[in-house]
Structures are given as C-alpha cells and as structure tokens.
C-alpha cells in the first residue's frame, strides 16, 4: 500500500514541474528546508517498514516503530505547514524571491493548519486500521478512532473559523459565485457522516467519507486561492497566478494527453491492489 500510494507524490511533483515551472521553482526555493526534511522523513518511513522485521530483538523493533511514528508525523506536519503558508501568503518580492526567514514559516495560522492536517491523517489512518484488524487490537483501535474523530472535528471547526475571520481572500470566489457555498456545506455534512458511521461501526463507509473530506478540503483550498497559486503578503501585485506560471499551451496539451493515459492506469492498479488485499489481516508466525 505504501509503495503504491507514494506514486501520487511523484505525480504531483512532476505535474507541478511540467505545468507550472515558475511555481515549482518558487515554492521549492522558499520551502527548501521543509522539503529536505520531508524527503528525509520519507526515506526513514520507508526503511522503518523494511528494517523492522529483519531482527527479532525487542529494542530493534521498538527503534523502528519510533522511527516510523516520528517520520510519519513529520511528513504530515510539514505538508500541513506548507499548505497553511500557501493559504496565509508568503513574503515574496517582485522577483518572486522569499524575503522572510525560517521562523516566518511557523506563524500561528500555518501551525493550526498543520495540526488540522495531522488530525485528518490520524483519523483516516485509524479508520483504515480498524478495517484491517481484529480481536484485541481491533478493540483498542475502536477507542482510538473515536478519539481521533473528536480531535479532527475540533480542529476542523477551529481552522474553519480562523480562516473565515483572518484569511479574507479565501472567501472571495465564494462571494462572487454563491453556488460554490454548496462545497463548504458538503464538507460539513461529510464530517458529520464520518462521525455518524464511526459511532455505528460502519468503518468502510466512514473511510469513504474520510477520503471524500480530504478531496473536498483540497478543492476548497484551490478555489480559495484562485486565480493565484502563491500569494504575496508583501504586495498583492507580486503574487503568482496560474496564468502567469503556466507552461506553454503545447506543453499543457502534452501533459493533458499523458495524464489522460497515465492517471486511469494508476487509479486502476491502486484499486486492484486494495481489492487484492481486502479484508482483515490474519496474524500468524510469519506475520510482520
């Protein structure tokens, strides 16, 4: 599952580089340190999975368990931190150069979005684990998934309120197109359905709604930023729009063709992998 899901990160990076090279260069230069930490965490997450079962000693397995936990948390937190800073805006000048410092990444709003992202991933992962486990581990995880749902709902409400009050540009497109308010309403209903299905122990349905809320929140993020991708807090005129950052029409047409061919293939084999390994994990002497 991990190797298959990682493909989407590669696709995202490649698509950004090919479709919006100016944004790719600007964001990676601004977030150089966070992205380097992100890559290191990705490496340790992968090797933690591979190395844990190579030796039977308890200290060895505990060490890689801690490595897995720290790297997974760091990956999620850094993704949320980047997302929060993009929503909030960044101090960039007319040459699209970053004029802030490392501490400016850790503004209160970006930290709130990072924690909200962490809470969403905790909930999504906990639901998946409940679907895949049984017996005592299943019983422990039912308590965990219930706590994670409460934590996410609290973060969701708080981050939504703070965004509405302190980040006014995120509502501009919704004011221009009132029909878009259906999306925030759908987000609220989806969050409520996650909790309802968890309480009813319908974990597969809860997992579907958890996937949906992730997609909806990303769509809301895109609509709120539109037509910009990177917003300048120094001067709005220095912001980078999708029209300014886009590649040539020919490059975009080639990208569209590749995406039309490649994306259905990736989706198909992802569905196939999840279908092949469906159901509960059965523990035996050969288990991880």
């Amino acid at each position: 599952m991990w190797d298959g899901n990682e493909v989407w990160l590669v696709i995202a990076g490649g698509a950004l580089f090919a479709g919006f090279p100016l944004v790719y260069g600007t964001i990676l230069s601004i977030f150089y340190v966070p992205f380097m930490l992100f890559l290191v965490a990705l490496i340790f997450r992968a090797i933690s999975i591979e190395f844990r079962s190579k030796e039977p000693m308890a200290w060895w397995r505990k060490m890689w368990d801690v490595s897995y936990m720290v790297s997974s948390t760091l990956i999620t937190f850094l993704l949320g931190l980047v997302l929060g800073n993009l929503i909030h805006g960044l101090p960039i000048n007319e040459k699209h150069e970053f004029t802030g410092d490392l501490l400016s990444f850790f503004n209160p709003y970006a930290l709130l979005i990072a924690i909200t992202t962490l809470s969403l991933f905790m909930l999504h992962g906990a639901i998946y684990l409940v679907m895949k486990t049984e017996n005592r581990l299943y019983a422990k995880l039912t308590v965990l998934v219930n706590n994670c749902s409460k934590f996410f709902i609290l973060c969701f409400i708080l981050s939504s309120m703070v965004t509405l009050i302190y980040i006014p540009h995120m509502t501009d497109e919704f004011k221009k197109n009132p029909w878009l308010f259906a999306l925030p309403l759908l987000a609220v209903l989806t969050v409520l359905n996650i909790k309802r299905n968890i309480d009813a122990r319908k974990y597969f349905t809860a997992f579907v709604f958890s996937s949906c809320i992730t997609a909806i929140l990303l769509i809301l993020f895109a609509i709120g930023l539109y037509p910009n991708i990177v917003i300048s807090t120094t001067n709005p005129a220095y912001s980078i729009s999708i029209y300014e950052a886009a590649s040539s029409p020919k490059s975009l047409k080639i990208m569209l063709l590749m995406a039309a061919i490649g994306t259905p293939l990736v989706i198909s084999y992802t569905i196939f992998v999840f279908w092949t390994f469906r159901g509960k994990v059965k523990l035996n002497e050969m288990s991880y």
Side-chain angles (χ1 to χ4, degrees):
M1 303 302 182
W2 154 248
D3 290 336
N5 291 339
E6 194 177 20
V7 172
W8 293 102
L9 290 174
V10 179
I11 292 174
L16 185 63
F17 173 74
F20 303 95
L22 176 60
V23 174
Y24 180 88
T26 302
I27 289 179
L28 262 70
S29 61
I30 291 174
F31 294 108
Y32 184 80
V33 173
F35 274 122
M36 287 300 103
L37 289 173
F38 178 81
L39 289 174
V40 170
L42 277 176
I43 292 169
F44 270 91
R45 192 175 194 272
I47 64 175
S48 298
I49 297 171
E50 295 295 334
F51 286 1
R52 184 187 187 276
S53 60
K54 302 305 180 186
E55 297 290 343
M57 297 86 74
W59 67 267
W60 174 270
R61 297 196 169 197
K62 184 69 174 178
M63 178 179 67
W64 292 115
D65 285 344
V66 172
S67 172
Y68 185 80
M69 181 272 294
V70 172
S71 57
S72 299
T73 303
L74 188 59
I75 289 168
T76 307
F77 185 82
L78 289 172
L79 282 174
L81 195 67
V82 170
L83 191 68
N85 276 288
L86 288 175
I87 296 172
H88 179 268
L90 294 158
I92 57 175
N93 60 23
E94 68 277 7
K95 296 180 180 179
H96 308 311
E97 295 172 343
F98 183 61
T99 57
D101 53 32
L102 187 61
L103 290 178
S104 62
F105 292 131
F106 298 95
N107 59 79
Y109 182 77
L111 289 172
L112 175 60
I113 296 300
I115 293 170
T116 302
T117 304
L118 185 60
S119 71
L120 173 59
F121 282 25
M122 286 169 60
L123 173 62
H124 194 61
I127 295 171
Y128 183 74
L129 287 174
V130 171
M131 290 167 53
K132 303 297 289 183
T133 55
E134 55 188 2
N135 303 327
R136 289 178 62 189
L137 187 55
Y138 169 85
K140 289 173 65 176
L141 286 167
T142 54
V143 177
L144 179 64
V145 76
N146 189 50
N147 292 336
C148 286
S149 67
K150 294 175 182 176
F151 180 44
F152 169 65
I153 290 172
L154 177 63
C155 290
F156 175 77
I157 294 171
L158 183 60
S159 60
S160 298
M161 290 175 60
V162 171
T163 300
L164 289 172
I165 296 171
Y166 294 104
I167 315 293
H169 64 255
M170 290 299 289
T171 60
D172 289 345
E173 284 299 315
F174 295 92
K175 292 174 182 176
K176 294 176 186 175
N177 303 282
W179 62 271
L180 287 174
F181 279 100
L183 277 172
L185 177 60
L186 183 62
V188 172
L189 293 175
T190 303
V191 171
L192 293 175
N193 268 299
I194 294 173
K195 179 61 177 170
R196 183 177 65 84
N197 282 282
I198 287 173
D199 292 341
R201 300 206 168 189
K202 297 177 180 178
Y203 295 114
F204 176 76
T205 309
F207 185 76
V208 171
F209 279 112
S210 178
S211 303
C212 289
I213 192 60
T214 305
I216 293 169
L217 290 175
L218 285 174
I219 293 170
L220 288 171
F221 160 73
I223 293 173
L225 286 187
Y226 181 83
N228 297 308
I229 301 181
V230 181
I231 294 175
S232 172
T233 55
T234 306
N235 187 334
Y238 302 156
S239 300
I240 304 175
S241 70
I242 59 172
Y243 307 108
E244 179 186 1
S247 296
S248 66
K250 185 176 180 180
S251 297
L252 293 175
K253 287 178 182 178
I254 294 172
M255 271 191 65
L256 179 61
L257 177 62
M258 297 303 294
I261 297 171
T263 305
L265 290 175
V266 176
I267 292 173
S268 297
Y269 83 65
T270 302
I271 292 172
F272 173 76
V273 168
F274 274 83
W275 177 257
T276 302
F277 294 98
R278 67 191 181 279
K280 300 284 187 178
V281 174
K282 303 296 180 182
L283 299 179
N284 53 44
E285 66 278 0
M286 296 298 294
S287 294
Y288 180 80

